[in-house]
Amino acid sequence: MRIIGCRECDAVVVEPFVPDGGAAYCDRCGGLLFRRHSRTIEVCFALVVAAAILFAVANLYPFLAFQMQGQTTRTTLVSGTRALLDQGENAVAALVFLTTIASPACEIGLLLYVLAPVHFGVRLPGLALAFRFVEQFRPWSMMEVFLIGILVAGVKLADLAEIVPGIALYAFGLLIPILAAASNFLDAELVWRRIAGEP
Amino acid sequence: MRYSPLVGGPHAQCPVCRLVMKAPEERPDAPLGCPRCGASVHRRKPESLARTTAYLVAALICYVPANLYPIMRSTSLGRAQEDTIVSGVAYLYHSGMWPLGTIVLIASVVVPIAKIVSLGGLVASVRRRSRWRPRDRAATYRIVELVGRWSMVDVYVVTILVALVHLGTLANVEVMFGAVFFAAVVVLTILAAESFDPRLIWDVLEEEEGRDVRT
Ligand SMILES: [Zn+2]
């Protein structure tokens, strides 16, 4: 018998039995208690590896090219931040860098660092600390919002010039559902138990 | 009812790994260290209401210039145009892109103010020790947490335009200070939502349940 708590209302309950793939919700406030996926570590590890590759592609290649009267400019993820810095908007540049590059990179990288040793049964130092940071970076990782931003910007420029989508845009389009699936499949309680060496 | 908040005296829950632990009987609000993940554990987020209120007031102050002042200036073949958040939405509607226009309208105009109002309402309800529809208030907080990030969309649009359109006199886009206020609104409302502790909604009910048991 295990005691778990509801994150949203602090009710304490005896962990209910949940079949694989199911979820438990709080009786009192209706908040999600946990989702149970017995293969969470294998599935998430595979998804995060795919996400890491796509994230690298999304960073290395341009996501939009802009052609006007023979001149072409291309943007990569980092060139947005650089353009804001050039115009002296350091705070906005920092925010864009944090939410589209730093946080997703840390989230993906740290998840790999945590899931790989747990998956392969190796002990590495700092797993608890790394998994803690994953939780802390998540609210600041906003790539799905950035994708909508790309679409809106593309529509706004369509009248003015020719817009050519780049490889990074397709990588983005794949990356976002994969990351969403990874965080859906992640049964954090199971990962914490494995990290802490609990049965 | 399956939940039993008073079993075994005061408890605290790790905000990171969610391990439930006993809190010291005489000083339940003293900070603890989580034995499983090492995070520092407070029974309730410290100074939750005061910090949420401060972030909300700051966000409300920034909301006005964020909407009044232009967020960018675009020059195309010598013709300059300044755009506010609202004129950007109007442009999308005029060019027939009403689905995108609606997304941006909701994300940039409706969400920030709705977030400020609902968090303000939640703070007020907890201060007044309200017992009114706690489940609905909990759901409100859940939605606020979920949708807040979408307000960033306009900041990204400006960023991408600035990065793409720098062809000197032919076409150029510059950020203007409305965008700085707008980014501040987004960050401040996210911080406000993170500072609010939804467990406070239930505390007053828990106290009454406790009293019922004793009498
Ligand atoms: Zn609950």
Side-chain angles (χ1 to χ4, degrees):
Chain A
M1 198 177 81
R2 251 178 220 282
I3 299 293
I4 59 163
C6 171
R7 164 169 285 181
E8 292 180 42
C9 76
D10 214 20
V12 175
V13 295
V14 175
E15 184 180 294
F17 171 76
V18 172
D20 199 18
Y25 294 88
C26 176
D27 266 358
R28 179 160 76 167
C29 74
L32 176 73
L33 287 174
F34 60 84
R35 287 200 180 86
R36 186 56 78 229
H37 289 290
S38 59
R39 294 174 51 78
T40 182
I41 287 155
E42 292 83 346
V43 174
C44 284
F45 179 62
L47 288 170
V48 175
V49 170
I53 296 166
L54 289 168
F55 186 70
V57 173
N59 270 280
L60 292 173
Y61 293 92
F63 55 79
L64 281 183
F66 170 79
Q67 292 171 339
M68 191 182 183
Q69 303 192 357
Q71 296 191 54
T72 305
T73 50
R74 284 176 223 285
T75 43
T76 57
L77 262 183
V78 81
S79 63
T81 303
R82 200 179 303 132
L84 289 172
L85 281 178
D86 287 344
Q87 297 200 359
E89 297 294 353
N90 298 343
V92 184
L95 179 64
V96 171
F97 181 75
L98 174 78
T99 53
T100 61
I101 301 176
S103 290
C106 290
E107 196 189 337
I108 294 170
L110 291 172
L111 263 178
L112 269 186
Y113 182 79
V114 172
L115 292 176
V118 174
H119 176 64
F120 294 113
V122 194
R123 292 212 60 85
L124 282 183
L127 286 187
L129 193 65
F131 201 43
R132 250 166 77 185
F133 277 118
V134 171
E135 299 268 312
Q136 248 127 42
F137 279 117
R138 190 163 295 139
W140 297 102
S141 166
M142 306 189 185
M143 282 190 299
E144 74 281 20
V145 185
F146 190 71
L147 184 66
I148 298 292
I150 296 175
L151 293 180
V152 175
V155 166
K156 288 196 172 190
L157 290 175
D159 292 351
L160 195 66
E162 196 176 344
I163 297 294
V164 185
I167 299 171
L169 190 59
Y170 301 112
F172 248 86
L174 279 173
L175 173 59
I176 284 148
I178 285 178
L179 263 191
S183 69
N184 243 315
F185 267 104
L186 189 64
D187 186 342
E189 178 70 23
L190 279 189
V191 179
W192 279 117
R193 284 175 195 170
R194 294 283 279 277
I195 291 176
E198 292 172 32
Chain B
M1 255 181 274
R2 266 194 289 149
Y3 65 88
S4 47
L6 297 174
V7 161
H11 68 272
Q13 193 186 151
C14 173
V16 179
C17 78
R18 305 176 70 173
L19 186 72
V20 176
M21 61 201 85
K22 265 184 154 39
E25 200 84 50
E26 58 289 354
R27 285 171 61 233
D29 288 316
L32 305 159
C34 176
R36 183 157 73 173
C37 75
S40 90
V41 180
H42 296 265
R43 215 175 62 82
R44 295 292 175 264
K45 292 179 189 170
E47 303 298 330
S48 167
L49 294 182
R51 286 178 48 221
T52 310
T53 312
Y55 285 129
L56 286 178
V57 170
L60 199 58
I61 292 171
C62 292
Y63 185 76
V64 179
N67 280 281
L68 284 181
Y69 290 107
I71 54 168
M72 63 178 188
R73 180 201 286 137
S74 37
T75 349
S76 163
L77 300 168
R79 211 161 41 90
Q81 189 195 340
E82 292 185 351
D83 263 317
T84 59
I85 299 268
V86 175
S87 73
V89 174
Y91 174 83
L92 285 173
Y93 275 102
H94 280 306
S95 39
M97 301 299 293
W98 59 268
L100 273 186
T102 309
I103 291 178
V104 178
L105 177 70
I106 292 174
S108 308
V109 184
V110 181
V111 164
I113 197 70
K115 219 176 148 179
I116 294 172
V117 170
S118 26
L119 277 175
L122 286 174
V123 170
S125 80
V126 170
R127 278 203 203 281
R128 286 177 36 237
R129 306 177 58 76
S130 162
R131 308 185 67 226
W132 178 76
R133 295 167 76 166
R135 252 183 112 95
D136 291 340
R137 283 186 284 146
T140 306
Y141 178 71
R142 220 170 285 140
I143 294 167
V144 163
E145 253 195 326
L146 203 70
V147 299
R149 54 204 282 108
W150 288 93
S151 306
M152 275 296 279
V153 84
D154 254 324
V155 176
Y156 293 147
V157 171
V158 175
T159 304
I160 295 161
L161 291 181
V162 165
L164 269 179
V165 189
H166 49 81
L167 301 176
T169 49
L170 192 58
N172 210 20
V173 174
E174 277 169 81
V175 203
M176 301 203 59
F177 58 105
V180 181
F181 284 108
F182 186 77
V185 172
V186 180
V187 172
L188 288 167
T189 55
I190 291 177
L191 289 173
E194 292 218 332
S195 315
F196 183 74
D197 193 332
R199 294 171 292 189
L200 296 172
I201 296 172
W202 303 90
D203 279 352
V204 55
L205 288 108
E206 225 160 76
E207 283 165 24
E208 307 223 342
E209 277 166 28
R211 204 177 303 139
D212 289 342
V213 170
R214 264 174 249 124
T215 47

